[in-house]
Amino acid sequence: MSPNSYRRSENLRALWPWLPLWVVVALIAIFSHGPMPLYSTRTLAVAWEMWNEHHWLVPYINGQPYSEKVPLLFWLIHAGWLVFGVNDIWPRLLEVIFGAVQLVLACVLARRLFPNRPWVAKATPWMLMALSYAFLFGQQIMYEVLLTDFVLGALLCLTPKPQRAEPRWLLFGLLIGAGLLTKGPVMLLHIAFPWLLGPLWNDWAREHRARWYGRGLLAVLLGFAMLLAWAIPAGFSGGEAYRHRLFFTQTAGRVVKGVQSDQKLQSHPRWFGWYLLSLPMLLFPFSAWPRAWVALGALRRPLDQGLRFALYWLVPSFLVFSIISGKQWYYLLPEFTGWMLLVAGAIAVLRERHAKLAEHYWLGSWPLGIGSILFAVLLFALPYIAHGHVLLNEWVEGAAPFSRTFSVMFLLLGCLLLVRGRGEMRRVALAGLVGVLALNTLFTLTLWHKYDLGPATAAVSAAQANHQPVAIEGNYEGQYHFSGRLNDPITELWTPEAIQDFAKDHPNGLILTHPSNLDETALRYALLVQPFRSSWIEVWPASTLADLRAGRTPSEPAQPPTVFPAPATVQYGAQP
């Protein structure tokens, strides 16, 4: 066997068994139910409107230019639709592919950063794929996993190889550009500090500072040139209002609270410490593994290149994201790899310098094991709790019929986590991956019907096919457009006067409402009622709703409304 063939064989062997295991679990999870409202359905709605109306340059949602996102993910979805036709299978397969690429890139990055500690490269993908929140969010048709691939690829360009110490600047710039076309300027926040602080962790950068910063700046400019190559023609194509939002408001509105806009922004303002309090949840199950905390606490200078890289990436990035007004957990998804690199590197150092601590049972996975067993007991008791109305909660009542079956799974996982000996990290990772798959399956079996918008979508689609205008009370997030293959916008009604005007202009139209509670007027006059998350969706004849809101008694409908679930299970004022 030639050296190149041997190297390829070794690389393929390094992917076994974690990569096929993750792919199988991810495929089961992502195809166990339909696209999730409102994350996945909104992305699919934009892709559908671009495809349906041939808007290849400017993203659209509900008939209007959509300045919130840049188009690369939509173009990738369109590429699959061009081959396979319009469907929701290809976009979900794309997310699985993106997730698999992320794990491979994390493994390669760990190998580059910790050349003298091969265990880190073996551990990092196992740990990364077991993160519960990252796994669940990775099943959404969203932009962050693709962005993570470009972030990791760009950072990989900065790391030295045995045969080449200088970064690959051209590829670095191209990947920055691809990241900018995936999520916009936030791409720079994810890669800025490893580059700006390069001399603190990279020997080549320390010896060639001028070339490091000069060529790095040229790479950043190349990335922005790629973004502007799309943004400038898109701005002129989308009109003045879209151009203003694209180049200023949609970014500034996330960074600084209170920026004014002619459209509602998805800015999600939160307080400074929100991310810090969320870290234990985001890093679960490893946040509940004592050995990880002991390993981090035992780190002492001098730190090797990989640990310095992780710290100079994570600490300043975390502070900047905390300062920025707009916050969502998934904004930090690219940094999850950095956290796992840091934890894996710290444990590798602990194994070398403090062998007793690295093997001590009381620093092991037993808290996770006890937690899993207690959760199994709770699941086993759930039918009693639901039957006795000890805890009045829709989630408890929904999960109770299947909870005992799943309690066996978590009991077995708890026993696995109580086992002593070698392979502890893999047991934690395996338990985390299987556990989150079990929870996703339990959700699908018991609670997915509260997220399935199929009945309302069918009503909206049929109405538009009959040329009936459709409106919605409040904000519309595109949740009906893709699955209903809608061709016309849905009108947003924000005031009581708007409802009256819509009914006057379109007496045969439909209006969708989203009340927290269900009352008897909906069960008497509405066309369709269905649960959605913790509230309800009601589909009304426009004239009927206008009469009720104006205090008038509408005429009796020709037939009773279609109600989901069955009418016998619905109580007035009830929660779904």
Side-chain angles (χ1 to χ4, degrees):
M1 183 181 293
S2 67
N4 287 337
S5 298
Y6 178 79
R7 190 177 300 112
R8 284 193 294 270
S9 175
E10 285 294 300
N11 289 336
L12 289 175
R13 286 169 56 190
L15 305 180
W16 176 265
W18 54 265
L19 185 58
L21 172 64
W22 184 88
V23 168
V24 169
V25 172
L27 287 172
I28 293 172
I30 203 167
F31 285 105
S32 63
H33 53 68
M36 178 71 71
L38 299 164
Y39 290 136
S40 297
T41 54
R42 182 167 49 218
T43 305
L44 289 171
V46 177
W48 163 247
E49 288 201 48
M50 292 177 69
W51 176 273
N52 191 43
E53 301 295 332
H54 307 290
H55 296 304
W56 309 119
L57 196 61
V58 178
Y60 269 71
I61 188 168
N62 202 34
Q64 297 295 322
Y66 186 53
S67 63
E68 297 274 339
K69 296 295 181 288
V70 281
L72 183 56
L73 178 59
F74 307 127
W75 290 342
L76 294 175
I77 293 174
H78 293 159
W81 285 353
L82 187 65
V83 177
F84 305 112
V86 176
N87 61 81
D88 62 17
I89 295 176
W90 168 248
R92 287 190 270 183
L93 285 176
L94 267 181
E95 290 299 323
V96 175
I97 293 171
F98 298 156
V101 171
Q102 176 189 359
L103 294 176
V104 173
L105 290 173
C107 181
V108 177
L109 188 60
R111 190 181 307 161
R112 291 266 191 94
L113 291 169
F114 297 89
N116 299 321
R117 294 191 171 98
W119 184 86
V120 179
K122 295 178 182 178
T124 298
W126 280 96
M127 298 173 70
L128 185 60
M129 73 181 187
L131 292 175
S132 301
Y133 174 78
F135 179 86
L136 290 174
F137 185 80
Q139 310 312 305
Q140 309 302 317
I141 304 171
M142 288 283 281
Y143 318 87
E144 276 69 23
V145 182
L146 177 60
L147 175 66
T148 298
D149 289 346
F150 293 130
V151 169
L152 296 182
L155 296 180
L156 198 57
C157 291
L158 297 179
T159 57
K161 300 173 63 176
Q163 64 272 28
R164 179 189 171 97
E166 183 175 1
R168 297 180 179 272
W169 296 114
L170 177 60
L171 184 57
F172 182 59
L174 293 174
L175 289 169
I176 290 175
L180 291 170
L181 286 169
T182 299
K183 197 68 193 294
V186 72
M187 169 67 181
L188 293 183
L189 291 182
H190 294 295
I191 58 95
F193 293 104
W195 169 55
L196 292 175
L197 303 178
L200 298 178
W201 64 268
N202 188 301
D203 293 337
W204 190 92
R206 188 162 49 252
E207 296 169 2
H208 305 86
R209 292 174 184 262
R211 290 170 66 182
W212 176 271
Y213 288 113
R215 297 187 179 186
L217 179 59
L218 291 176
V220 172
L221 293 176
L222 172 61
F224 267 105
M226 292 172 60
L227 178 64
L228 291 175
W230 162 78
I232 292 175
F236 283 103
S237 176
E240 182 178 354
Y242 170 76
R243 187 162 58 248
H244 176 74
R245 293 194 303 270
L246 180 67
F247 285 101
F248 173 69
T249 310
Q250 65 93 21
T251 296
R254 287 172 170 81
V255 176
V256 181
K257 184 177 180 180
V259 170
Q260 298 298 315
S261 171
D262 58 342
Q263 282 190 350
K264 183 180 179 180
L265 289 172
Q266 302 166 15
S267 56
H268 313 292
R270 305 183 198 276
W271 71 291
F272 175 83
W274 188 72
Y275 281 136
L276 185 63
L277 294 181
S278 303
L279 271 183
M281 182 274 293
L282 296 177
L283 300 183
F284 186 84
F286 297 100
S287 58
W289 186 26
R291 202 173 317 280
W293 292 103
V294 170
L296 291 171
L299 287 176
R300 296 292 184 272
R301 294 182 179 180
L303 301 177
D304 62 17
Q305 173 185 255
L307 291 170
R308 283 181 280 132
F309 170 89
L311 288 171
Y312 291 134
W313 175 17
L314 295 175
V315 174
S317 298
F318 189 83
L319 288 174
V320 170
F321 275 103
S322 296
I323 292 171
I324 291 174
S325 173
K327 296 179 180 67
Q328 288 282 66
W329 290 325
Y330 54 83
Y331 290 173
L332 299 181
L333 205 64
E335 278 67 39
F336 284 23
T337 299
W339 287 327
M340 294 302 99
L341 283 171
L342 180 63
V343 173
I347 292 176
V349 173
L350 188 73
R351 287 157 62 110
E352 293 177 7
R353 300 178 182 174
H354 307 281
K356 291 184 178 179
L357 290 178
E359 298 175 0
H360 200 291
Y361 179 74
W362 292 110
L363 299 179
S365 57
W366 65 268
L368 287 163
I370 297 297
S372 183
I373 292 172
L374 291 176
F375 186 60
V377 172
L378 175 63
L379 289 177
F380 189 84
L382 216 54
Y384 294 112
I385 297 174
H387 181 72
H389 302 290
V390 177
L391 181 61
L392 294 177
N393 184 281
E394 59 185 292
W395 307 103
V396 170
E397 295 177 358
F402 295 90
S403 63
R404 287 183 176 173
T405 301
F406 285 86
S407 71
V408 176
M409 173 65 71
F410 284 96
L411 178 63
L412 294 175
L413 292 178
C415 293
L416 175 67
L417 291 166
L418 293 178
V419 171
R420 294 173 176 263
R422 294 171 58 86
E424 181 181 77
M425 180 278 298
R426 283 185 174 83
R427 289 194 294 275
V428 174
L430 183 63
L433 185 64
V434 174
V436 75
L437 175 63
L439 289 176
N440 183 79
T441 306
L442 180 61
F443 164 81
T444 302
L445 291 172
T446 63
L447 299 171
W448 167 247
H449 71 277
K450 297 178 185 290
Y451 291 77
D452 183 7
L453 294 173
T457 300
V460 172
S461 181
Q464 286 201 356
N466 291 328
H467 307 290
Q468 295 176 260
V470 181
I472 189 169
E473 186 177 25
N475 190 41
Y476 176 57
E477 300 282 359
Q479 57 266 38
Y480 306 111
H481 253 76
F482 174 76
S483 57
R485 303 296 193 270
L486 304 186
N487 297 313
D488 300 317
I490 292 178
T491 304
E492 295 180 343
L493 306 176
W494 289 97
T495 64
E497 293 77 15
I499 293 176
Q500 300 297 324
D501 292 341
F502 181 85
K504 182 179 179 181
D505 295 338
H506 310 287
N508 68 329
L510 298 185
I511 298 178
L512 290 87
T513 62
H514 189 215
S516 300
N517 297 314
L518 185 65
D519 59 34
E520 63 179 11
T521 57
L523 294 173
R524 181 177 179 182
Y525 294 108
L527 292 175
L528 181 144
V529 173
Q530 74 157 94
F532 178 60
R533 300 204 286 201
S534 299
S535 56
W536 294 88
I537 292 173
E538 300 169 352
V539 182
W540 296 86
S543 56
T544 299
L545 182 64
D547 286 342
L548 288 170
R549 294 292 177 86
R552 301 185 295 266
T553 301
S555 58
E556 291 293 329
Q559 58 186 26
T562 303
V563 180
F564 299 87
T569 66
V570 177
Q571 299 177 351
Y572 300 146
Q575 293 293 324

